[in-house]
């Protein structure tokens, strides 16, 4: 069985580990949705206070009750700032902020800094998806070349989701 078939089987059987990069207003609800479907989720965030609070079973977002976090923990959710744990996930979803700059264009610094922090810990056979709000072409223009530079062959030994 090829690694692609193995990955597909893990997703179908919900044994794939989902890595959510950025546990804000997009990442935290996305984590919850995967947890509701019985996927184990590792949530990554650079804010240690946020990570600590989540690991204590507490939400920092008003419309997400503590109980939601505690239920997710029962499904295997854990929050971390340790990017070396990226290698544990089969699927990596970037949900980091893209605030508008002075020209009303998305500031990609969070996306690019996160990708640069993640790539050294990636392994072959993973899926990377950009869910941050940005302009069309960001995945192909910014993420694809960085993966290729790190000697990942997109479509051959890793997947990059174009959205």
């Amino acid at each position: 069985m090829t690694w692609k078939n193995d990955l597909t089987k893990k997703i179908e059987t919900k044994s794939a580990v989902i890595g959510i990069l950025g546990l804000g207003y997009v990442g935290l609800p996305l984590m919850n949705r995967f947890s509701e479907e019985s996927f184990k989720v590792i949530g990554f965030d650079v804010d240690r206070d946020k990570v600590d609070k989540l690991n204590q079973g507490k939400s920092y977002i008003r419309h997400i009750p503590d109980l939601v976090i505690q239920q997710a923990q029962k499904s295997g959710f854990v929050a971390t700032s340790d990017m070396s744990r990226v290698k544990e996930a089969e699927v990596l979803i970037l949900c980091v902020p893209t605030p508008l700059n002075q020209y009303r264009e998305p500031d990609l610094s969070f996306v690019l800094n996160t990708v640069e922090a993640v790539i050294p810990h990636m392994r072959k056979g993973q899926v990377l998806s950009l869910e941050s709000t940005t302009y069309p072409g960001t995945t192909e223009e910014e993420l694809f070349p960085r993966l290729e530079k790190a000697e990942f062959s997109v479509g051959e030994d890793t997947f990059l989701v174009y959205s």
Side-chain angles (χ1 to χ4, degrees), residues 18-69:
I18 310 298
I20 307 281
L21 298 140
L23 295 172
Y25 289 94
V26 173
L28 199 59
L30 186 60
M31 172 283 297
N32 180 52
R33 188 68 189 111
F34 276 105
S35 292
E36 287 176 340
E37 292 298 321
S38 302
F39 283 94
K40 179 182 175 189
V41 179
I42 302 173
F44 297 87
D45 206 286
V46 295
D47 184 337
R48 276 304 285 155
D49 290 335
K50 189 184 297 184
V51 167
D52 291 343
K53 194 168 196 174
L54 291 168
N55 284 331
Q56 293 166 10
K58 297 180 180 171
S59 176
Y60 66 91
I61 297 177
R62 187 176 348 149
H63 70 274
I64 299 176
D66 293 349
L67 184 60
V68 167
I69 306 304

Side-chain angles (χ1 to χ4, degrees), residues 65-82:
D66 293 349
L67 184 60
V68 167
I69 306 304
Q70 294 160 11
Q71 287 298 111
Q73 287 174 318
K74 290 178 183 174
S75 293
F77 168 65
V78 63
T80 186
S81 294
D82 180 3

Side-chain angles (χ1 to χ4, degrees), residues 79-95:
T80 186
S81 294
D82 180 3
M83 289 297 177
S84 71
R85 294 198 62 192
V86 160
K87 65 182 169 280
E88 298 174 36
E90 278 75 34
V91 178
L92 301 168
I93 305 172
L94 277 80
C95 300

Side-chain angles (χ1 to χ4, degrees), residues 2 12 20 22-24 26 30 33 43 56 74 85 94 101 107 111 114 119 128-129 133 136 140 145 148 152 155 163:
T2 68
E12 288 172 350
I20 307 281
L23 295 172
V26 173
L30 186 60
R33 188 68 189 111
Q56 293 166 10
K74 290 178 183 174
R85 294 198 62 192
L94 277 80
N101 65 19
D107 173 357
V111 171
T114 301
I119 285 177
L128 179 62
S129 177
T133 304
E140 186 172 7
E148 293 279 308
F152 286 100
S163 53

Side-chain angles (χ1 to χ4, degrees), residues 86-117:
V86 160
K87 65 182 169 280
E88 298 174 36
E90 278 75 34
V91 178
L92 301 168
I93 305 172
L94 277 80
C95 300
V96 296
T98 49
L100 297 179
N101 65 19
Q102 65 199 36
Y103 304 105
R104 305 207 36 86
E105 300 167 336
D107 173 357
L108 297 181
S109 62
F110 292 102
V111 171
L112 300 180
N113 289 339
T114 301
V115 169
E116 293 296 334

